[in-house]
Amino acid sequence: MNTTDWRSLSHLYPALQSAVSATDAEALAVMDVPAGTTLFREQERCGGFPLLLSGEVRVSRSASSGRELELYRVVPGEMCLVSSSCLFVEQPLSAHGVTVKPTRLALLAPAAFRAALAHTDFRDFVLGLFAARLADLTGLIEAIAFQRLDSRLAAALLGHGTQVHATHQALADELGTVREIVTRLLHRFERDGWVELSRECITVRDSAALRALAALQPR
């Protein structure tokens, strides 16, 4: 790893500095991968702890039917819950990760990851992000339990013209859920290019995509 990458990595993951010295950082494998690259797959051994310098990774779970469920996305400064949990217990991966855009990342080897956990700052950082990811997944499970809440939200955004003047709380009240879940879904819609979010206003950019999603809600 060169000096520039180490500086960037230390800025994005400050806790890493107390666990990995600049000299040891030379052992970190840095790679550049194009969009659409599968970084890891279900039932494989975890090759290491990914630390993103740039780009974005989508982590999903596949069903035997071929359907896929997005669990979360990883951006620079964040952590992959699936990778860390597998390194904790030394079990096969339970999901797969695919780059959404060109991505540059460093891979902390499994042994180095476990050694780094002996340092309080790094351990607290990992456990803190671990808890945040679990909260995200809990929200996802709740959204699924509410019979395709994403479809109901898409339907709620239609029929108001190109701009919906409503707060996330108002939409949550309308749908019978909590604001955090609505916000999470709206940010997903924004990443997909369907809407643009601003203060108390949601601008519809792709009504056809919203209509297609709204059609999936139970009748």
Side-chain angles (χ1 to χ4, degrees), residues 57-80:
V57 177
R58 180 179 64 246
V59 179
S60 308
R61 182 77 181 266
S62 297
S64 57
S65 63
R67 294 187 62 183
E68 188 174 285
L69 174 66
E70 179 180 315
L71 301 178
Y72 57 85
R73 297 196 181 198
V74 184
V75 297
E78 294 185 347
M79 182 191 78
C80 177

Side-chain angles (χ1 to χ4, degrees), residues 139 142-143 146 149 153 177-186:
E142 184 176 347
F146 274 106
L149 186 61
L153 176 59
T177 186
V178 295
R179 179 184 55 78
E180 289 78 9
I181 293 179
V182 167
T183 297
R184 196 173 295 123
L185 290 172
L186 286 172

Side-chain angles (χ1 to χ4, degrees), residues 39 49 81 95 99 115 119 127 131-132 151 195 199 214 218-219:
L39 296 178
F49 186 63
L81 174 63
T99 54
H119 297 263
L127 292 177
S151 298
V195 302
R199 185 173 178 81
R219 300 296 181 184

